[in-house]
Amino acid sequence: MQKLLFLFLVLISTYSSIYSQQKALTNNQTAFDVLFIGNSLTYTNNLPELVKEYAISKNIAITTNMIAFPNYSIQDHWNDGQVQKLISSKTYDFVIIQQGPSSQPDGRNMLINYGKKYTRLCKLIEAKLCYFMVWPSLHYYYTFDGVIKNHTDAAAINNSILLPVGTAWKAYSDTAKNNEYYGDDGFHPSLKGSEIAAKVIVDHLLKQ
């Protein structure tokens, strides 16, 4: 009986040691595959490349892939059918979805309802879905709180990662009293705006 108890304790100890090692390996991961799905707010200034560059400064290697078209929503991408094939064909660690500001009810519903579809697909490859929170144009700056709320709610409802670029953007713009994160058209990001977006994205991905 004592021998059996001893063997049982040895097995438990061995399993715990292996589990701890596996967990440590996961937590110490230094290379990630990331898929960006979005529109011109993502491809302007080549945000994925800026993400890769900033990650290097953190000693992290990020490989990126991007599917982004002008004025596209996550619903448009889903209806095209390309994202389903792309996600299913490769094992990504993170899938980042982005659409317009989405401060209005239609945009909110799209973030939530289509986010559910992306979430189900990501689970099949054990990837984590991420919401890239953007910003409104200067003309509609007053809708910023709605942008923040709808992205925050959608991420929470779909148990996804929130990348609060818009929150950081608004905090800086309100405090500094300037609009240097905006490009000349008052909507697309300046290079500095995209660099800040890259920093927020990487910092929040590495927290996971």
Side-chain angles (χ1 to χ4, degrees):
M1 184 67 178
Q2 289 181 337
K3 288 184 178 179
L4 288 175
L5 178 60
F6 175 74
L7 288 173
F8 177 75
L9 291 174
V10 168
L11 287 173
I12 290 296
S13 176
T14 302
Y15 174 80
S16 297
S17 176
I18 292 173
Y19 176 79
S20 296
Q21 291 174 10
Q22 289 175 337
K23 188 174 182 181
L25 287 172
T26 299
N27 291 340
N28 293 328
Q29 187 173 351
T30 58
F32 299 93
D33 287 324
V34 179
L35 174 62
F36 285 83
I37 299 171
N39 56 38
S40 56
L41 297 183
T42 290
Y43 68 66
T44 295
N45 300 318
N46 197 349
L47 179 60
E49 187 64 28
L50 295 176
V51 164
K52 289 168 62 176
E53 291 174 4
Y54 181 71
I56 289 172
S57 73
K58 299 286 186 179
N59 296 316
I60 299 293
I62 291 183
T63 300
T64 64
N65 197 357
M66 173 174 63
I67 177 168
F69 304 115
N71 302 314
Y72 256 53
S73 68
I74 59 175
Q75 178 179 347
D76 294 324
H77 279 293
W78 188 268
N79 291 341
D80 278 355
Q82 294 184 44
V83 292
Q84 293 93 322
K85 296 177 182 178
L86 192 56
I87 294 172
S88 300
S89 67
K90 182 175 175 61
T91 302
Y92 291 99
D93 297 290
F94 301 104
V95 174
I96 299 176
I97 56 175
Q98 172 268 312
Q99 63 179 22
S102 305
S103 64
Q104 302 305 304
D106 286 349
R108 175 184 173 84
N109 291 336
M110 204 177 297
L111 286 174
I112 294 172
N113 296 331
Y114 276 84
K116 290 179 182 177
K117 297 177 185 289
Y118 284 91
T119 298
R120 294 192 198 102
L121 191 57
C122 286
K123 285 181 178 179
L124 295 177
I125 63 166
E126 299 183 345
K128 295 180 180 178
L129 182 69
C130 309
Y131 280 85
F132 171 10
M133 179 201 294
V134 291
W135 51 87
S137 67
L138 282 173
H139 184 71
Y140 292 105
Y141 195 86
Y142 64 90
T143 67
F144 221 138
D145 287 342
V147 175
I148 293 173
K149 175 176 172 50
N150 290 343
H151 281 81
T152 302
D153 289 350
I157 290 170
N158 288 312
N159 194 28
S160 301
I161 298 170
L162 179 66
L163 306 174
V165 176
T167 302
W169 188 296
K170 186 176 188 298
Y172 177 79
S173 296
D174 290 351
T175 302
K177 304 298 182 184
N178 70 52
N179 301 313
E180 62 182 340
Y181 285 178
Y182 285 94
D184 293 338
D185 66 355
F187 182 42
H188 289 87
S190 64
L191 178 57
K192 186 169 185 178
S194 292
E195 289 173 341
I196 291 301
K199 181 180 185 302
V200 172
I201 289 171
V202 172
D203 287 347
H204 279 77
L205 290 183
L206 296 185
K207 286 180 181 179
Q208 306 309 311

